[in-house]
């Protein structure tokens, strides 16, 4: 009888965890479905105008950015991954993790930094004119173009490809590479005939992340005046005050995202390149003389362009405007950024932990549930923002009688103008970051401790707090840091969903840049970079721990 009551109690606990998981999945899926269903609604006149005269240009610019950025990031990321994995040269250990640092600088900060540096009055042309009396055609260094945007996206997003490709090469391909070397294959033959085919899934996965980032960007394309589908969503929303057409544009962008996702899966062709865990690490070949110097210079140039040069330029500008920007209002800005990011991250980690624990079972539905809750990361912030806004407006309309009863007016936009909407947007957008970290933590501890606790009669909740939580606290911490950093950097989502007069470091930086107050934008930019560098440090420490 006692055993039966324990089973009933455990089942009741499990049902509670499942209810929370399903509510979380519904919250994430509902705004996305709202946007998707807009495609079947009757369009208005603005949509026909945009489709006739503007949509073609939006799509072409978007495709150009995606195609060239994807190709160039693959070239740069794979080349650097191969160089730092297969060869030993001066400062290789530093470059191995230092080449991740460009991710600490958001592309919209890099965009206004490089544009100002390369302008006619910027440090590059001014130095050439004043020090060496060299005149350069300004068109050659013009940065407000597709060319400039492709450069920014490539230099500051290639680490996505680099990280995944390097991890694969170092752990999964050593035996094939060493066998090819023993057979006398030249390095170029090894790279093109062994490395590239083996690393194809990793390369495509990294390139997919880059493409999703490009499609969701608003800061770079807006600042450079490049018309893409994402900028069209903003212009339709804020310029024409037409939410319906903005939702329709978002729906079409979602179709493009789905197309990219399907293409990625087709390119992988369900192939898996995985060796046993006994595969020994790749032993790098020591370079000497000119090859060693060339490898060092190549890595130095990429790291300088992607981190060192913009960082030092921002520090120099910050010194010019420190007294003007660093005041009580800046601390308010910093407090708002940190508080909203901390609250959103805490919610994400709690919900992700519950769902990840539920999804540890091997049957089909938990797998589908995990894919649903992580789908937000591959969807641009503008799409999520529009879906969240539509849901909250509908919710306000439904609750209008209650508002009236409470004396708040006939139809106030209570929830739609609150910070709650922004938090929900963050949770949907970055649930994948927290969930993936928690899932890795659960995978490492396995199920033997959980099963032992359950055999001793402990329920799911007590087992989690007494047994599992102490074991996965490292994963929870890393997930919290990585998610917190991503939220602090996010721009499109907060621009669309923030309450009136609510600013974060990202929105203030972008506003300064749009108003051509470049020097004033340096200090909030440096704060974002400092917070973002935390993610690089955490990633490096986790990587070292895994290696041990």
């Amino acid at each position: 009888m006692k055993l039966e009551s324990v089973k009933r109690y455990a089942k009741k606990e499990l049902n509670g965890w499942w209810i929370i998981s399903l509510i979380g999945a519904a919250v994430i899926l509902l705004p996305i479905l709202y946007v998707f269903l807009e495609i079947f609604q009757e369009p208005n006149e603005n949509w026909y105008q945009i489709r006739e005269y503007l949509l073609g240009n939006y799509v072409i610019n978007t495709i150009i950015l995606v195609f060239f950025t994807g190709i160039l990031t693959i070239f740069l990321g794979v080349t650097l991954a191969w160089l730092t994995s297969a060869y030993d040269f001066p400062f290789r250990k530093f470059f191995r993790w230092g080449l991740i640092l460009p991710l600490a600088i958001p592309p919209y900060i890099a965009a206004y930094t490089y544009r100002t540096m390369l302008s006619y009055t910027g440090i590059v042309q001014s130095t050439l004119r004043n020090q060496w009396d060299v005149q350069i055609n300004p068109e050659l260094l013009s940065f407000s173009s597709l060319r400039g945007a492709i450069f920014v996206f490539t230099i500051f997003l290639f680490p996505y490809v680099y990280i995944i490709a390097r991890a694969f090469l170092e752990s999964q391909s050593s035996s094939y590479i060493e066998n090819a070397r023993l057979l006398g294959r030249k390095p170029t033959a090894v790279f093109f005939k062994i490395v590239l085919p083996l690393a194809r899934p990793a390369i495509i996965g990294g390139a997919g992340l880059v493409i999703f980032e490009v499609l969701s960007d608003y800061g770079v394309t807006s600042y450079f005046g490049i018309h893409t589908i994402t900028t069209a969503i903003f212009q339709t929303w804020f310029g024409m005050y037409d939410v319906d057409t903005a939702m329709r544009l978002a729906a079409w962008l979602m179709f493009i995202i789905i197309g990219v996702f399907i293409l990625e899966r087709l390119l992988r062709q369900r192939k898996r390149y995985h060796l046993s865990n006994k595969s020994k690490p790749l032993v790098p070949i020591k370079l000497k003389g000119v090859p060693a110097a060339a490898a060092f210079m190549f890595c130095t140039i990429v790291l300088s362009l992607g981190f060192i040069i913009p960082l030092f330029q921002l520090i120099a500008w910050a010194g010019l405007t420190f007294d003007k920007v660093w005041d009580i209002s800046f601390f308010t800005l910093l407090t708002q950024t940190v508080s909203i990011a901390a609250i959103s991250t805490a919610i994400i980690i709690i919900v992700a932990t519950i769902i990840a624990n539920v999804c540890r079972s091997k049957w089909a539905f938990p797998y589908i549930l995990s894919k649903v809750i992580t789908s937000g990361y591959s969807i641009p912030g503008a799409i999520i923002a529009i879906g969240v806004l539509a849901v909250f407006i509908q919710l306000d309309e439904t609750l209008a009688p209650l508002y009236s009863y409470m004396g708040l007016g006939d139809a106030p936009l209570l929830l739609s103008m609150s910070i709650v909407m922004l938090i929900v947007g963050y949770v949907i957008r970055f649930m994948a970051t927290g969930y993936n970290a928690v899932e890795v933590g659960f995978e490492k501890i396995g199920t033997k401790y959980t099963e032992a606790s359950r055999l001793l009669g402990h329920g799911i909740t007590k087992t989690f707090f007494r047994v599992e939580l102490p074991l996965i606290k490292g994963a929870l911490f890393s997930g919290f840091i990585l998610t917190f950093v991503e939220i602090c950097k996010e721009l499109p989502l907060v621009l669309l969903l923030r309450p009136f007069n609510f600013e974060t470091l990202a929105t203030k930086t972008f506003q300064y840049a749009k108003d051509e107050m470049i020097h004033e934008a340096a200090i909030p930019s440096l704060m974002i970079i400092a917070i973002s560098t935390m993610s690089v440090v955490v990633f490096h420490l986790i990587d070292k721990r895994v290696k041990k």
Side-chain angles (χ1 to χ4, degrees), residues 493-507:
L493 194 68
V494 68
L495 279 176
L496 290 170
L497 294 181
R498 59 179 173 161
F500 177 73
N501 220 19
F502 183 88
E503 298 281 358
T504 65
L505 289 170
T507 61

Side-chain angles (χ1 to χ4, degrees), residues 216-223 230-231 234-235 491-492 495 510 514:
S216 64
D217 172 78
Y218 173 71
V220 176
T221 51
S222 174
Y223 185 67
T230 302
T231 58
F234 277 78
Q235 291 166 359
L491 179 63
L495 279 176
F510 182 72
K514 288 287 286 185

Side-chain angles (χ1 to χ4, degrees), residues 116-133:
T116 306
M117 287 173 58
L118 296 174
S119 66
Y120 184 78
T121 57
I123 186 172
V124 174
Q125 294 199 49
S126 297
T127 301
L128 290 174
R129 285 196 310 270
N130 299 333
Q131 300 297 326
W132 291 288
D133 196 27

